[in-house]
Amino acid sequence: MCGIVGYVGPRQAQDVLMHGLARLEYRGYDSAGLAVADRGRVAVAKAEGKLARLIERVDQSPLPGHAGIGHTRWATHGVPSDRNAHPHSDTTGDFVVVHNGIVENFRALRDRLEAEGVAFRSDTDSEVLAHLVARAFDGDLTEAVRRTISQAEGAYALVAMTSRQPDRIVAARMISPLVVGLGEGENFLASDIPAVLEYTREFLLVEDGEIATVTRDGATLETIAGSPVRKQPFTADWETDSVRKGGFDHFMAKEIHEQPDVISRTLGARIRPSEDGGEQVALEGLEWSDRDPAEIDRIWITACGTAYHAGLVGRVLFEQLAGIPGEVAFAHELRYGKPLFRDGSLTLAISQSGETADTVAAARLARRRGSRLLALTNVVGSSLAREADDVLYTWAGPEISVASTKAYVAMLVGESLLALELGRRRGTLSRTAERELVAELRTLPGKAARVLEDMDEVSRLADVLAGSPDAYFIGRGLDLASAMEGALKLKEISYIHAEAMPAGELKHGTLALISDGTPVVAVVTQEDVHSKAMLSLQEVKARRGLVIAVAYEDDEEIGTVSDHVLRIPRVADVFSPILAAIPLQLLAYFVARRLGRDIDQPRNLAKSVTVE
Ligand code: M6R
């Protein structure tokens, strides 16, 4: 959700904060603001809308000074507007806060403060924090923040500053992510590493219940109870280029094109030569005894959005390659359901950001109920990674576009490796089968690059789809997961209504909506149900629907029932979702381009959903 950045040092804070906000805008973009301390006061500038509006404002009236905090917002309480934008101030204007997350008891706190005579100026839950910090201050901002968070309930990160102690910014973390960036004679705070990556590579992770006090000379961490916390900084070795568009018009396009490299990276050192002259999977980071894989009797997979679609693919892989039955559950359903976790179960929680509130909560629940927790995530040190017994990282690099592309493909590769590892260790996969499948995995980067070489057909098709109010996506087996992901991509960035369903389900109702020219995107890669997929497409053609198929390049039959075919190189069917994702991502991208949509920052959405 919202992005936070803070700075104390010799530079003009405004420059660092605006730079950080630009890097964080993907986190939320309905308004933005900053506050800078200077000569006994704190100046605030904020603006509804994209960061460009705030840039205009600060260009006209700069905020000089060397310490400040900034925020980019995704609304939870209160509509996007100047008054609801952060930072929020107390009634004197001496104290300001930025906040990410939700203060769950804000209503009670606000009622109490109003009864004490405080006049609120916004509709947000966050403003209570500014008033609480001001009222708790008696000369020490750290102490005031401590007193504030002992009253506020919920999952959040908070950063405060005051004109009365202008040399510092103080932050507290309750679940929502926060890091301290360490520089030479300057220090930073941020909700995400990319915000300050151009200034420092050294970071301290602020953990739940910790308070960070950041000055020009250093940063101290302590618990809510006041005990000092000492920890080693870690180095972020991300390329700064990875948070730039690198010649593409959109981050989404750049991230789609990075996928061949991402597949190679995620495979990385996880494949090693085997004694029989072939190769086998060797996963790092899994602290499994020899017996552990054999004892898994069920896999629970939990995630949201695109990561959930990755989970649908994973379920089939674990079943087919490792002989483990599984269940995929939306994290927001699982966390409030009554799942029967058992000691022998493994829960795989999947999340690009590792910060999705529902996924982290579902993962916690699984672990509490005795399931072993394995996190599949892209972000090192994320909440999910820290919660888990074992972590498998997808080495996709920072994903900036709100629509997930490369992280999805990396999740599929990670699951493939995991399924192969489990299959070998459980004895459900023969050496020959493993060797052949590993060899197939090795071909994926090259094949993904080939899909990206020929974009003419997909770009032509975008014209067709862009004129339609609806589109239907169908598939069977693993192709259904690809269809669901394709539909999500299209609606998310083009705002065209898209609905995915099993191909066999069409005739049970939705076929009534198919008429002359209705687009039906069919993913057809699974050999065992190929003839059945053809039947479904015949049904669509018989109603004059417009069939766009995603199929293997050597599938000649598909042309007989399709108006257009997006071709992918043939690969073992279990890995086809990795390649099928790419034309579907491109289709959504080109449609959204035709329609002039805000591709990297689609309306109403945010990159990581750190609230319920
Ligand atoms: O960070 P996560 O993978 O946990 O995020 C889950 C979803 O919010 C995310 O995949 C969302 O659906 C994407 N915007 C889809 O492109």
Side-chain angles (χ1 to χ4, degrees):
M1 304 271 95
C2 314
I4 288 178
V5 59
Y7 176 74
V8 192
R11 304 175 204 250
Q12 285 297 326
Q14 175 186 306
D15 298 341
V16 179
L17 299 177
M18 293 307 287
H19 172 90
L21 291 180
R23 295 278 174 267
L24 287 177
E25 207 184 4
Y26 69 99
R27 272 205 154 249
Y29 33 83
D30 61 42
S31 56
L34 76 167
V36 178
D38 187 40
R39 284 174 289 173
R41 61 183 281 270
V42 180
V44 175
K46 36 194 189 173
E48 180 193 341
K50 291 293 194 73
L51 194 58
R53 306 243 352 255
L54 182 65
I55 293 172
E56 274 168 29
R57 263 182 209 183
V58 298
D59 278 354
Q60 280 162 14
S61 318
L63 281 64
H66 300 278
I69 56 180
H71 187 269
T72 172
R73 178 172 187 248
W74 184 85
T76 57
H77 292 69
V79 297
S81 63
D82 282 6
R83 64 195 287 268
N84 287 335
H86 297 221
H88 290 287
S89 313
D90 77 313
T91 45
T92 65
D94 287 348
F95 294 85
V96 288
V97 300
V98 293
H99 163 239
N100 173 18
I102 295 179
V103 179
E104 285 170 5
N105 59 338
F106 95 96
R107 183 40 61 196
L109 293 170
R110 183 168 173 147
D111 289 350
R112 195 188 81 204
L113 288 162
E114 281 178 335
E116 290 169 10
V118 173
F120 275 75
R121 283 176 294 212
S122 78
D123 312 314
T124 65
D125 54 333
S126 314
E127 189 183 340
V128 295
L129 299 171
H131 297 298
L132 290 175
V133 171
R135 290 166 102 76
F137 185 81
D138 60 7
D140 179 3
L141 185 59
T142 307
E143 187 52 36
V145 167
R146 188 193 326 284
R147 289 181 190 156
T148 297
I149 59 172
S150 65
Q151 300 173 64
E153 292 164 12
Y156 57 84
L158 149 77
V159 188
M161 68 184 297
T162 173
S163 56
R164 313 224 192 133
Q165 255 189 325
D167 63 332
R168 66 197 53 211
I169 51 180
V170 177
R173 171 184 174 151
M174 284 292 170
I175 299 181
S176 296
L178 207 55
V179 289
V180 173
L182 301 170
E184 301 261 322
E186 59 182 353
N187 291 297
F188 309 81
L189 266 167
S191 52
D192 301 60
I193 288 171
V196 294
L197 200 55
E198 270 168 38
Y199 304 104
T200 182
R201 296 299 170 119
E202 297 295 298
F203 291 92
L204 289 172
L205 195 68
V206 183
E207 304 207 43
D208 288 350
E210 289 177 357
I211 300 174
T213 303
V214 176
T215 64
R216 196 184 265 243
D217 302 323
T220 55
L221 293 179
E222 55 197 83
T223 61
I224 296 183
S227 316
V229 176
R230 293 189 210 301
K231 55 179 82 169
Q232 278 302 315
F234 65 93
T235 305
D237 54 5
W238 294 349
E239 296 299 326
T240 45
D241 269 3
S242 58
V243 292
R244 295 203 191 104
K245 286 187 196 147
F248 289 89
D249 292 340
H250 301 96
F251 280 110
M252 185 181 181
K254 172 176 172 259
E255 289 161 3
I256 289 173
H257 281 81
E258 280 171 5
Q259 292 179 115
D261 287 344
V262 165
I263 298 172
S264 299
R265 264 209 309 275
T266 302
L267 291 175
R270 289 149 167 181
I271 294 180
R272 62 150 195 250
S274 54
E275 283 166 6
D276 55 10
E279 289 189 311
Q280 71 176 50
V281 173
L283 287 184
E284 88 288 3
L286 303 183
E287 311 243 326
W288 286 346
S289 70
D290 285 345
R291 281 190 25 223
D292 287 338
E295 285 176 356
I296 300 169
D297 60 9
R298 181 164 210 84
I299 293 194
W300 289 85
I301 305 174
T302 191
C304 303
T306 285
Y308 173 84
H309 299 150
L312 295 176
V313 175
R315 190 196 69 75
V316 177
L317 294 177
F318 301 132
E319 192 176 83
Q320 288 190 9
L321 304 181
I324 310 174
E327 202 146 331
V328 195
F330 284 115
H332 34 87
E333 290 293 315
L334 189 70
R335 67 182 291 195
Y336 295 117
K338 296 191 173 44
L340 297 174
F341 295 114
R342 295 210 194 88
D343 283 355
S345 69
L346 174 71
T347 295
L348 176 67
I350 311 176
S351 171
Q352 186 284 130
S353 60
E355 301 295 348
T356 298
D358 286 317
T359 307
V360 175
R364 270 193 195 130
L365 174 76
R367 195 153 182 252
R368 253 200 336 264
R369 299 265 181 90
S371 188
R372 188 171 182 130
L373 179 62
L374 171 59
L376 179 60
T377 179
N378 196 33
V379 179
V380 176
S382 57
S383 299
L384 185 63
R386 285 180 299 116
E387 191 71 33
D389 297 298
D390 304 284
V391 186
L392 186 59
Y393 285 109
T394 53
W395 298 114
E399 191 178 64
I400 306 295
S401 167
V402 166
S404 186
T405 54
K406 63 175 181 171
Y408 172 68
V409 157
M411 286 167 187
L412 301 186
V413 174
E415 288 176 324
S416 305
L417 291 166
L418 186 62
L420 290 173
E421 172 93 12
L422 283 168
R424 186 186 68 253
R425 292 177 69 167
R426 289 167 62 87
T428 52
L429 200 62
S430 70
R431 249 318 284 146
T432 315
E434 186 190 6
R435 201 172 48 230
E436 283 170 11
L437 288 170
V438 169
E440 288 272 333
L441 282 177
R442 285 285 197 201
T443 67
L444 286 170
K447 289 178 178 169
R450 268 174 51 207
V451 179
L452 290 165
E453 269 163 24
D454 183 12
M455 295 194 291
D456 292 350
E457 176 69 353
V458 70
S459 140
R460 262 195 305 277
L461 268 176
D463 287 331
V464 179
L465 265 185
S468 175
D470 309 285
Y472 298 89
F473 285 68
I474 59 172
R476 286 176 186 260
L478 280 173
D479 288 335
L480 173 60
S482 300
M484 290 172 76
E485 176 57 9
L488 178 61
K489 284 293 87 84
L490 184 68
K491 60 187 156 189
E492 181 175 29
I493 59 167
S494 75
Y495 316 153
I496 290 176
H497 166 247
E499 197 178 331
M501 74 198 66
E505 189 63 16
L506 209 54
K507 58 184 177 293
H508 295 288
T510 310
L511 205 54
L513 299 175
I514 309 296
S515 61
D516 218 356
T518 309
V520 176
V521 180
V523 186
V524 186
T525 68
Q526 301 295 298
E527 195 51 48
D528 52 351
V529 284
H530 189 274
S531 57
K532 307 296 168 203
M534 297 294 286
L535 289 180
S536 307
L537 292 185
Q538 297 283 12
E539 289 160 13
V540 174
K541 283 307 319 157
R543 274 83 192 170
R544 299 198 184 82
L546 179 97
V547 174
I548 300 168
V550 174
Y552 290 133
E553 56 197 2
D554 58 0
D555 182 343
E556 287 167 10
E557 215 186 331
I558 195 77
T560 61
V561 287
S562 311
D563 298 279
H564 306 270
V565 186
L566 298 172
R567 300 282 181 181
I568 57 171
R570 187 169 281 279
V571 67
D573 283 358
V574 282
F575 301 142
S576 77
I578 297 172
L579 296 181
I582 303 173
L584 295 170
Q585 295 163 351
L586 289 168
L587 189 61
Y589 175 76
F590 284 117
V591 172
R593 253 191 106 112
R594 293 284 187 285
L595 294 171
R597 304 298 193 222
D598 192 346
I599 293 180
D600 285 334
Q601 296 175 346
R603 69 186 179 201
N604 303 342
L605 302 181
K607 183 65 183 164
S608 25
V609 185
T610 52
V611 294
E612 277 197 58

